[in-house]
Structure formats: structure tokens, C-alpha cells
Amino acid sequence: MALVSETQHASLSAEKQLIDSRLNFYHEEDTKWASFATQVGTSYRVVSVLGSQGTGCTTLLNDIFGTQLPTMSSEVSQTTIGVRQIWSPELRSLVLDVQGASGGKPSITENKLTQFAAACSSDLIINLKQDEVCRHSTLHRGMISNVCRTLLERYDAHDSQRTRVNVLYVIRDWDETANLESACAAITRAALAVWGDISSELEIDTESTPFHEFFRLDFATLPHKILDPTAYTSQVAALAERYSSQTADSAEESAPRNDVPLQDVYEHMRRVWTIVRGRVNISDERRSLADRVCPVFIESALQFAKRCIKEKIDVEAKADDFKASSSQTQNEAMEHYDRLAALYDPNIRQKHRVTLAGAVDMVLLKCYLHHVKSLRTIALSEFKQRVTALQRTILPMPPMPSKILFPKLDELKGDCLKVFRELAIAARLNEQWTIEEQAAALELTMDDAIAPLKSQQAAIDLSMERSAAIFSRPIAPLTDIPKMISDSAGWGRMVASAIWGR
């Protein structure tokens, strides 16, 4: 399915000045382009053309990529000043038309523009006329030296994301009077010689940085466009096939893949251009870009996590359900970040992922503490109910002394605290989350709940002590029972005679 409709191609494919004659960089944000670029990701090419002025570099780009860059006319001897850019939707390529070399020793401007093209491009097209082949090693040595130097400095030595640059030499106006194999061999020898010289100058061992690990060199010929238009059109179509869009997951090494996502490519180019007078290191730029955008993705993932907490997590749910929903929220937040940051430097992405994991953990911890407070409320209510039940078992029976009651209360406290801890630990997603503060708070509230009972128990203990003291006095034993009976009988007769004698 097409990323954009045919009616949108025109607005997205308009040619624009990227670097002007005063070496100023221009790019204006475009919402349509940003929306489109986000869908492309890194599955695209940046193609630059290098060559001499007036040799048809712009025409070559237009013919291969179907673009409409302005070309030289009878009134204009040089059309490309600085760098012009245009998007080729058919070949999913960002095409850079670089100002041509004037011949002889490269000017400062030419060096800067060549360095910029080499630093930003996945593909370089070097446009040569047939009669320039034999003079290429001297005529374009400065340009090739600049390309080699830039590619040696473009990545860190151990950057696992390093990609080779496709360099295609297109020999124009080829009439087959020369031997193509010899021409290609001469160009290759010249490039290898320059590569060796630059490596020595930078004190780099050529064995550890072989040419083929940085370049993928290829050659093509084109007949004269006017003298043999049919053959020219046919071979241009074959060149276009080289750059035809392929899926990002293609197994072919030639599948388009760039160092930065398309939505960030202009900011990336801007930063490259600002440091082009010094060392251009794409590894640093890619890391810097990831460092700038990953915090934005972290914030997005955090907001996503908070929405999930609000919608999916019930703080009063059972422990297993709470833990499961917390784990789901954590995983979805991390997956949200991974989707957004997938196209950026993996090391920087992972560094910020660790930061996000900590931030999500803190958000979930707050939710967990609310859940624990809910458990604490339930545990306290259960404790009070059990204390009330205990009181009912001893009333209106004789009061229970403290030495019996208090251990029972402590046992109830221990049981409730144990159940609270078990439920809190079962709901805990991270073992480092502590519940000791909440457990101490629960124990304190339970102590407060039974404080009136303990105060009342002090009075009960005092009453029981006094009762025990009274009932513990000694009683004289009944030793002369018959005498007591006779005495009682005597007292009885006396009382009876007194009553009846009246």
C-alpha cells in the first residue's frame, strides 16, 4: 500500500534549496512531510551526485529518479549552486544535487559540499565523462580524498551500526572505443591509492580498515543521450532498477536503510553541516539525535502508563489481580517506548529505557502503596472484629486477667499482621518495594484500637486482686461439733420456755 496518495506526491516532491551559495542551510518544517516521513522510518536512501560542472549531473539524477531538478540551459552555464534536494517517491530516495567541481584543485566550498554529501549519503553517484576516466586519478583526486577521509571519520571504529556507502561510477557518453574492464580497474586503483594515503595520513592501519568495509564500488556506462536515445533510455531504466524501493526487512544487502529516521534527517543534516569544517562523525550524531528524542518518548510512555493505571488497575482488587494488571501496565508502557525508539541508536535507546523502567516503577509504586493502604484498612477492620469477638467470649463470664488476655490480643495482632504482609507481598510487582512502613503503621493503629481495652483491664486486674485478698483470709476449723450442737439446743430451750412461759 502506498504511503501517500498520488495527489500528495507533488507537494512532497517539490525541489528545494538545502544549502545556498553563501553556505546557509535551509529547511522549513512541513506537517505533511513530517506525517509522511514518520511512516518511512529508516527505509529510504539519501543519494548524492558528485562530478564536474557541465557534465550532466542534474540531468542524470532527473533521468534515474524521475525528478524535476532545474538543468543547464543556453542562458545558464551552471544551474546547481550549493545543494538542492528533492524526494523521489517512486524510488523512496532523498536526492541531493551537489554543486559540481570546477576542475583543478578543489575550492574550500567544494571540499565542504563533498564532505557534507559523503557524511549524509547512503549512496554516492560519481558522474564521469568517458574522456575524464584517464584523468580521473588527478582531476578528481581532491574529491575522492575528501570522500575517503569523511568515510574513515564517519563512524566509530567499533560501531555495530556502521553501513557501507554505495559508490556508483557512471561513465557518460560511452562509445565502447575504450576497454570497460581496464577503465574500471584504473578507477579502482586510483581509489585504493587515495584510500591508502588517507589512512596513512590519519595513522590508521589499512588492514583493520579495509576499503571494501567502507565502500561498495560499482560501475555503469551510459551512451550519449542525443546520439543514441534508445540505448540511453534503456540503460537509465536499468540504473533506476538499482535504486528501486525494497522493503526495510529485505534480506538483500542493497535494501535501503539510512542512519537516521526520515523524520529526523533534516535536523541531522543541519547538525552535520554546522560541524562540517571539523570532524564529521555519524556515530556521534546518531547518539546525539537519540539523546534528544528518547526523553520525549519516555514522557509519552509515562503518560501512557498513567492512563493504563487509571483505566485498568483497581487498588481494591485481589492481590493476584492487582499484580497482573500492574505487570501488564509495565509491559505495555515499555513496549510503547520500544515502538517509538526502535529506529534510534540501540545503546542510547537502552540507556533511556533503563531510565523509563525506573520512572514507570515509581508510578506503579505509588499505585501499589494505595493498594497497601486499602489492605491496611481491611486488616485493621478484621482485627477490631476479632477483638470484639474475644470480648464476647469472656463476658458476662468472670473477668479474664491481663496475663491471659494480653497474649491473646498479641496473637490476634500477629495473625492480622501476617495476613497483611502475605497479601501485600503477593500484590508486589517489584521485590524492592518495601511494606515495613505500612506494617508499622498498621501495628500502631491496632495498638491504638486496643488501648481503651488495656486501660479498662488495669481496673479489672485491681478489682480481681482486692477480691482475691478478701476471700483468701483463714477461717477457724469446726473442731467440737457435738458441743456446738448441745449449746445450740440449750439456747433453743431457753428461748422456747421464755416464749411459752408468758
Side-chain angles (χ1 to χ4, degrees), residues 310-383:
K310 186 175 181 181
E311 296 170 1
K312 299 180 180 180
I313 299 182
D314 180 7
V315 294
E316 297 183 358
K318 294 181 179 179
D320 291 341
D321 294 338
F322 180 86
K323 183 175 182 179
S325 56
S326 298
S327 178
Q328 181 182 1
T329 296
Q330 182 186 54
N331 292 337
E332 289 181 358
M334 301 308 294
E335 289 171 1
H336 179 82
Y337 170 83
D338 290 339
R339 284 194 300 272
L340 295 176
L343 301 177
Y344 295 87
D345 184 271
N347 295 327
I348 301 300
R349 184 174 70 225
Q350 181 60 31
K351 180 185 76 172
H352 287 281
R353 196 180 194 277
V354 172
T355 302
L356 172 62
V360 172
D361 186 79
M362 290 301 297
V363 172
L364 290 173
L365 173 59
K366 291 180 181 179
C367 185
Y368 172 72
L369 292 178
H370 284 297
H371 175 73
V372 172
K373 287 180 181 179
S374 175
L375 292 178
R376 196 178 76 188
T377 302
I378 295 172
L380 180 61
S381 175
E382 179 68 18
F383 175 72

Side-chain angles (χ1 to χ4, degrees), residues 134-145:
C134 60
R135 296 179 289 121
H136 174 67
S137 59
T138 54
L139 182 65
H140 291 153
R141 180 179 176 81
M143 178 183 70
I144 300 303
S145 297

Side-chain angles (χ1 to χ4, degrees), residues 31 52 79 233 245 255-256 392 408 445 499:
T31 55
S52 300
T79 55
T233 302
S245 297
R392 288 174 180 171
K408 289 183 178 293
T445 53
I499 296 173

Side-chain angles (χ1 to χ4, degrees), residues 135-423:
R135 296 179 289 121
H136 174 67
S137 59
T138 54
L139 182 65
H140 291 153
R141 180 179 176 81
M143 178 183 70
I144 300 303
S145 297
N146 227 328
V147 170
C148 291
R149 184 187 302 276
T150 302
L151 293 186
L152 277 170
E153 296 177 339
R154 177 168 164 154
Y155 297 103
D156 290 343
H158 305 292
D159 189 344
S160 61
Q161 300 294 303
R162 185 175 69 188
T163 58
R164 291 193 293 173
V165 173
N166 302 307
V167 179
L168 174 64
Y169 277 88
V170 179
I171 305 176
R172 304 286 297 279
D173 300 346
W174 184 258
D175 59 8
E176 299 184 356
T177 57
N179 183 279
L180 179 59
E181 185 176 345
S182 298
C184 295
I187 293 173
T188 302
R189 283 196 303 271
L192 288 172
V194 172
W195 181 261
D197 293 344
I198 297 299
S199 297
S200 299
E201 181 183 330
L202 298 176
E203 298 182 351
I204 298 175
D205 182 13
T206 53
E207 292 185 1
S208 62
T209 55
F211 181 84
H212 64 83
E213 288 190 3
F214 293 79
F215 289 90
R216 188 183 297 111
L217 206 58
D218 207 351
F219 299 90
T221 60
L222 286 178
H224 198 285
K225 185 174 183 178
I226 297 176
L227 298 180
D228 194 351
T230 302
Y232 179 88
T233 302
S234 174
Q235 292 184 39
V236 162
L239 288 179
E241 185 64 26
R242 289 172 177 255
Y243 298 101
S244 61
S245 297
Q246 301 177 42
T247 57
D249 57 353
S250 171
E252 295 185 28
E253 191 177 6
S254 60
R257 184 178 73 81
N258 212 276
D259 287 298
V260 296
L262 185 59
Q263 64 265 32
D264 301 305
V265 70
Y266 289 113
E267 177 61 23
H268 167 68
M269 287 180 175
R270 186 195 306 276
R271 290 176 60 83
V272 169
W273 183 243
T274 59
I275 61 174
V276 78
R277 291 177 177 84
R279 177 174 177 263
V280 179
N281 186 283
I282 300 302
S283 302
D284 290 341
E285 282 303 302
R286 189 173 58 238
R287 288 190 290 265
S288 177
L289 175 62
D291 261 329
R292 293 195 304 274
V293 299
C294 283
V296 178
F297 300 152
I298 287 177
E299 183 60 29
S300 175
L302 280 177
Q303 294 302 321
F304 178 83
K306 291 176 181 178
R307 289 195 301 272
C308 288
I309 288 173
K310 186 175 181 181
E311 296 170 1
K312 299 180 180 180
I313 299 182
D314 180 7
V315 294
E316 297 183 358
K318 294 181 179 179
D320 291 341
D321 294 338
F322 180 86
K323 183 175 182 179
S325 56
S326 298
S327 178
Q328 181 182 1
T329 296
Q330 182 186 54
N331 292 337
E332 289 181 358
M334 301 308 294
E335 289 171 1
H336 179 82
Y337 170 83
D338 290 339
R339 284 194 300 272
L340 295 176
L343 301 177
Y344 295 87
D345 184 271
N347 295 327
I348 301 300
R349 184 174 70 225
Q350 181 60 31
K351 180 185 76 172
H352 287 281
R353 196 180 194 277
V354 172
T355 302
L356 172 62
V360 172
D361 186 79
M362 290 301 297
V363 172
L364 290 173
L365 173 59
K366 291 180 181 179
C367 185
Y368 172 72
L369 292 178
H370 284 297
H371 175 73
V372 172
K373 287 180 181 179
S374 175
L375 292 178
R376 196 178 76 188
T377 302
I378 295 172
L380 180 61
S381 175
E382 179 68 18
F383 175 72
K384 289 180 178 179
Q385 292 178 18
R386 293 191 180 189
V387 170
T388 301
L390 177 63
Q391 288 178 300
R392 288 174 180 171
T393 62
I394 62 176
L395 294 174
M397 302 295 289
M400 186 180 294
S402 297
K403 63 181 179 180
I404 297 177
L405 177 63
F406 287 178
K408 289 183 178 293
L409 292 176
D410 290 339
E411 185 178 354
L412 287 180
K413 276 177 52 181
D415 288 345
C416 289
L417 278 171
K418 180 181 178 182
V419 173
F420 166 78
R421 287 178 181 275
E422 289 175 351
L423 292 175

Side-chain angles (χ1 to χ4, degrees), residues 15-19 47 58 61 69-70 79-86 95-99:
E15 63 92 15
K16 299 174 184 176
Q17 189 78 38
L18 193 63
I19 299 174
V47 184
T58 305
L61 290 179
L69 292 161
T79 55
T80 305
I81 303 295
V83 178
R84 301 190 70 83
Q85 62 93 17
I86 191 169
V95 179
L96 303 183
D97 187 13
V98 182
Q99 176 177 320

